Amino acid sequence: MPDYSKPLPTPDPITQPFWDSVKAHAMQMQKCAHCGKFIFYPRAVCPHCFSRDLKWTPVSGKGKIYGFTISHQKVIQAFANDVPYVIALVELDEGARLMTNLVGVEPDPAKIKVGMDVVVHYDDVTDAITLPKFKPA
Amino acid sequence: MNNISGKVVIVGVAESDQIGIVPDKSVLQLHAEAAHNALNEAGLSIKDVDGIFAAGTSPMETAEYLGIVPKYLDGTSVGGSSFVIHAGHAATAIANGLCNVALITHGESGRSRVGAGGFPQSPQNMRGQFEAPFGLPLPVGAYAMACSRHMALYGTTNEQLAEIAVATRKWAAMNPKAMYRDPLTIDDVLKTRWVAWPFHLLDCCLVTDAGGAVVLTSMERARDLKTQPVAMLGFGESIDHSMISQMRDFTSGPAKISGKQAFEMAGVKPSEIDLAMIYDSFTYTVLLSLEDLGFCKKGEGGAFVSNQRTAPGGAFPLNTNGGGLSYTHSGMYGVFTLIEATRQLRHDYQNEGIRQVKNAKLAVAHGTGGVLSSAGTAILARA
């Protein structure tokens, strides 16, 4: 997949375990050992209680659409051929939220609902990077 | 805190010489023209300015270009709300004797990009890692995502969002400086193309070139000046997040905190406000702000703006300059909420029929910045 032209993440030491976990198709997130909440994006401290005691923990990959948009904009060159496409914020059953693309469903507001059940779909976009996308459960 | 309320006043407001499409003027020239015009209006000179407030460009660049050596400066740059936040900071500084004449300037070549900076993006920062790979168009996609949840939870409709665009256009029709002045119907809005569902093209603000400036000083100093002073009765600010994926609640933003503080400091209730200048980057920005500021209950924003309630002659005068939706929106629009609120409270439009909000005594100027990220609220009063 050498011709992948869309923006790719460059992991940093704190976020590397997340990117490693999605590459392994077994997503993990940090769970705070103090307040018990799952957090995302990965941090050095818990944004809920400021604890530094965060443990990488497997997550289910199941969740619900918290909000979404269907982009018809061609302003981002690399995505211009994809319009219309769906960008969603998914709230995992564990409580943490992440931005993603919704795949496996028409980009039609009649077919996508806030609150709809979705499940992770690992998209191996390059040899190094896998993006966690979601599809209807 | 209460000893600040009402002690500092706005004595000059202005746009740059031209706004709209200004392809021959740089960002800093737009700052300079607006500053010049606002100081002239007040009858003050650049030599009187001892406090500088700027966003977009830094206070260093701005002061250097204008020839100011300030003893108070603030470069809080949190998007379009920055200038309203600056007004609060200026009031605090002046009331405490840290400076005497504060100049807030804005200049942005949003459309023509003359002397404009870029938007640096790194694949390693949090947005680069956790948002950019999914192609969210910014800022529109962020506001659109948030709006989708309000619609799902509260039944808010595209027709209700369009009510805001249509009413705002009616105000713009009376403002010769507004870019779009042709009449608009709800149907017209709904027929425009999707930009990012649930937003049609006319749910989105303009992209223009413009400068704007506001001059503040103490009430004592204002007595010798040319203009009717407008007092900073209350103000507040807050931040909820930087990235939209980190917003705590898509249906409630930082305006809840900034508004509460501003109203409490001013000692007034939303029901006492005569007109509201509320940043309208998108129609949803207005609807959410109206709820968060307490003009209506959570979820009732759609009903609140229905039946052209915010249009000229309506019960709730809103964005009486034509707003970012139809008048001008250079990128960080917040300064224009202060400018128009001041003009209405001075009764500048008293010979222009319903353009002037009758007996306007109290106004709210409210800015939203980033992607519903930051908020600044000011309660202004005819002094």
Side-chain angles (χ1 to χ4, degrees), chain A residues 7-8 10-12 15 19 40-43 66-73 79 85 87-89 97 99 101 109 114, chain B residues 123-124 126 129-137 144-145 148-149 152 194-197 244-250:
Chain A
L8 286 168
T10 301
D12 63 62
T15 67
W19 291 112
F40 195 75
Y41 49 82
R43 288 162 164 91
Y66 182 78
F68 72 101
T69 182
I70 304 169
S71 178
H72 294 254
Q73 281 286 76
F79 286 87
Y85 59 97
I87 307 110
L89 193 65
R97 296 184 202 141
M99 188 174 286
N101 293 125
V114 168
Chain B
Q124 197 165 35
M126 293 304 106
Q129 290 193 54
F130 299 110
E131 289 195 350
F134 306 104
L136 184 71
M145 279 181 117
S148 76
R149 190 165 180 86
W194 293 115
V195 172
W197 182 91
I244 194 66
S245 56
Q246 297 290 314
M247 188 170 184
R248 287 168 177 80
D249 177 351
F250 270 2

Side-chain angles (χ1 to χ4, degrees), chain A residues 37-112:
Chain A
K37 288 185 174 152
F38 278 85
I39 74 162
F40 195 75
Y41 49 82
R43 288 162 164 91
V45 295
C46 172
H48 303 289
C49 73
F50 209 52
S51 166
R52 295 171 67 160
D53 196 1
L54 302 167
K55 299 274 189 286
W56 286 100
T57 309
V59 291
S60 63
K62 292 178 187 162
K64 292 182 191 312
I65 293 182
Y66 182 78
F68 72 101
T69 182
I70 304 169
S71 178
H72 294 254
Q73 281 286 76
K74 297 186 177 181
V75 290
I76 311 173
Q77 193 79 37
F79 286 87
N81 292 328
D82 294 359
V83 298
Y85 59 97
V86 184
I87 307 110
L89 193 65
V90 167
E91 185 167 288
L92 294 179
D93 290 351
E94 289 82 1
R97 296 184 202 141
L98 74 167
M99 188 174 286
T100 189
N101 293 125
L102 195 61
V103 297
V105 61
E106 279 176 62
D108 177 351
K111 302 196 170 159
I112 306 166

Side-chain angles (χ1 to χ4, degrees), chain B residues 269-301:
Chain B
K269 295 195 253 335
S271 58
E272 296 174 70
I273 294 291
D274 297 310
L275 70 135
M277 296 298 303
I278 295 185
Y279 197 140
D280 53 346
S281 47
F282 303 95
T283 48
Y284 179 59
T285 319
V286 177
L287 195 135
L288 185 61
S289 301
L290 287 170
E291 293 179 353
D292 282 346
L293 293 173
F295 288 106
C296 59
K297 287 188 187 142
K298 184 52 59 190
E300 293 179 359

Side-chain angles (χ1 to χ4, degrees), chain B residues 68-263:
Chain B
I68 298 168
V69 181
K71 63 179 186 186
Y72 196 90
L73 59 95
D74 181 9
T76 301
S77 194
V78 290
S81 61
S82 301
F83 312 95
V84 183
I85 291 172
H86 290 166
H89 294 181
T92 308
I94 293 167
N96 285 287
L98 300 172
C99 64
N100 191 241
V101 174
L103 173 65
I104 301 169
T105 67
H106 162 75
E108 205 165 355
S109 183
R111 191 179 186 103
S112 304
R113 313 292 308 160
V114 185
F119 296 98
Q121 188 56 265
S122 156
Q124 197 165 35
N125 68 18
M126 293 304 106
R127 181 166 285 146
Q129 290 193 54
F130 299 110
E131 289 195 350
F134 306 104
L136 184 71
L138 289 172
V140 61
Y143 285 81
M145 279 181 117
C147 185
S148 76
R149 190 165 180 86
H150 200 281
M151 293 171 105
L153 258 51
Y154 300 113
T156 305
T157 65
N158 278 111
E159 286 76 10
Q160 289 171 331
L161 295 172
E163 290 266 9
I164 295 169
V166 170
T168 305
R169 180 64 63 85
K170 290 176 186 166
W171 287 107
M174 295 187 284
N175 182 356
K177 291 178 182 168
M179 183 174 255
Y180 289 152
R181 303 180 63 195
D182 294 337
L184 193 65
T185 66
I186 289 173
D187 245 21
D188 291 338
V189 177
L190 299 182
K191 279 180 188 150
T192 56
R193 68 177 176 87
W194 293 115
V195 172
W197 182 91
F199 289 163
H200 292 93
L201 181 64
L202 291 183
D203 285 304
C204 309
C205 65
L206 306 165
V207 181
T208 66
D209 308 315
V214 174
V215 181
L216 300 98
T217 192
S218 64
M219 184 66 101
E220 296 87 64
R221 181 73 187 270
R223 291 189 217 287
D224 307 326
L225 301 179
K226 298 195 302 196
T227 48
Q228 158 71 43
V230 167
M232 291 284 294
L233 213 57
F235 47 88
E237 64 195 55
S238 191
I239 292 170
D240 185 78
H241 57 275
S242 173
M243 295 155 62
I244 194 66
S245 56
Q246 297 290 314
M247 188 170 184
R248 287 168 177 80
D249 177 351
F250 270 2
T251 65
S252 180
K256 221 167 176 167
I257 293 171
S258 66
K260 184 170 187 286
Q261 177 166 321
F263 278 109

